[in-house]
């Protein structure tokens, strides 16, 4: 996935590029493009709100994939209002699977409580992670866990941690 993030000042009477001041409303767009050849399952987006910035609960976040709303998207992030804000797997939301060649866009708003940096810089980081296996399809996941092809069952006392590296069971 490639990740980018944009911000616009959406405060009434201001231009999107106006320098924000305390009380301003900022709209963030997190864009995750799947440039790979397989679906990115169970995507997890974690936005690190800096001090002085707080999630705006008066705006309902949106998630789209190639501009189509994501069905079942859980809009309220874990960690609200001060963050880190978590959407996707870390929020119990299994809807953020990004097919190969498609782009997820998450849009949310935050209100600037105070400008903490003397130069007016607002450093708002984000990270994204995903899996290559759809663990939300329980039937497939558990079928794979229970598949013993190529394995031989043994008794529980044959399984041990080899803490000293001698490849043998040394007792309790």
């Amino acid at each position: 996935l490639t990740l980018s993030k944009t911000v616009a000042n959406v405060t009434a009477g201001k231009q999107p590029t106006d320098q924000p001041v305390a009380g301003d409303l900022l709209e963030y767009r997190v864009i995750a493009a799947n440039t790979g050849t397989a679906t990115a399952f169970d995507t997890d987006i974690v936005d690190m709100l800096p001090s002085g910035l707080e999630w705006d609960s008066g705006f309902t976040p949106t998630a789209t994939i190639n501009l189509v709303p994501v069905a079942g998207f859980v809009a309220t992030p874990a960690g609200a209002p001060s963050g880190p804000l978590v959407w996707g797997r870390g929020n119990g939301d299994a809807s953020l699977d990004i097919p190969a060649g498609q782009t997820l866009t998450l849009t949310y708003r935050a209100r600037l409580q105070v400008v903490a940096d003397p130069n007016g810089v607002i450093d708002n980081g984000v990270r994204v992670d995903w899996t290559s296996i759809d663990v939300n399809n329980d039937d497939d996941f558990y079928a794979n866990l229970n598949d013993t092809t190529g394995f031989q069952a043994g008794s529980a006392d044959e399984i041990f941690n080899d803490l000293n590296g001698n490849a043998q069971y040394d007792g309790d």
Side-chain angles (χ1 to χ4, degrees):
L1 297 180
T2 59
L3 187 63
S4 63
K5 186 174 188 178
T6 64
V7 62
N9 192 331
V10 294
T11 306
K14 294 206 173 178
Q15 296 299 312
T17 57
D18 284 353
Q19 182 70 27
V21 296
D24 280 1
L25 191 57
L26 306 178
E27 183 171 278
Y28 286 94
R29 288 179 192 237
V30 177
I31 302 151
N34 184 348
T35 58
T37 59
T39 298
F41 293 105
D42 306 317
T43 303
D44 204 27
I45 298 171
V46 180
D47 196 294
M48 317 298 186
L49 288 181
S51 177
L53 196 60
E54 192 169 277
W55 177 65
D56 178 30
S57 62
F59 175 81
T60 302
T62 61
T64 62
I65 293 182
N66 285 12
L67 305 177
V68 176
V70 174
F73 171 63
V74 177
T76 302
S82 298
L85 304 177
V86 181
W87 287 274
R89 183 182 66 251
N91 193 30
D93 182 354
S95 70
L96 299 182
D97 295 340
I98 310 170
Q102 298 194 25
T103 301
L104 167 71
T105 303
L106 169 69
T107 304
Y108 75 96
R109 292 184 178 175
R111 185 157 311 271
L112 186 59
Q113 305 297 316
V114 62
V115 179
D117 182 90
N119 297 317
V121 175
I122 302 169
D123 187 17
N124 185 2
V126 65
R127 74 168 178 78
V128 63
D129 60 41
W130 67 97
T131 65
S132 60
I133 300 171
D134 187 6
V135 296
N136 290 309
N137 183 340
D138 291 341
D139 293 339
D140 289 344
F141 181 66
Y142 290 111
N144 289 335
L145 282 179
N146 293 321
D147 183 0
T148 58
T149 304
F151 295 96
Q152 183 170 349
S155 65
D157 64 351
E158 292 175 31
I159 300 170
F160 63 93
N161 277 330
D162 186 15
L163 299 176
N164 62 7
N166 68 357
Q168 64 185 15
Y169 180 71
D170 296 320
D172 297 342

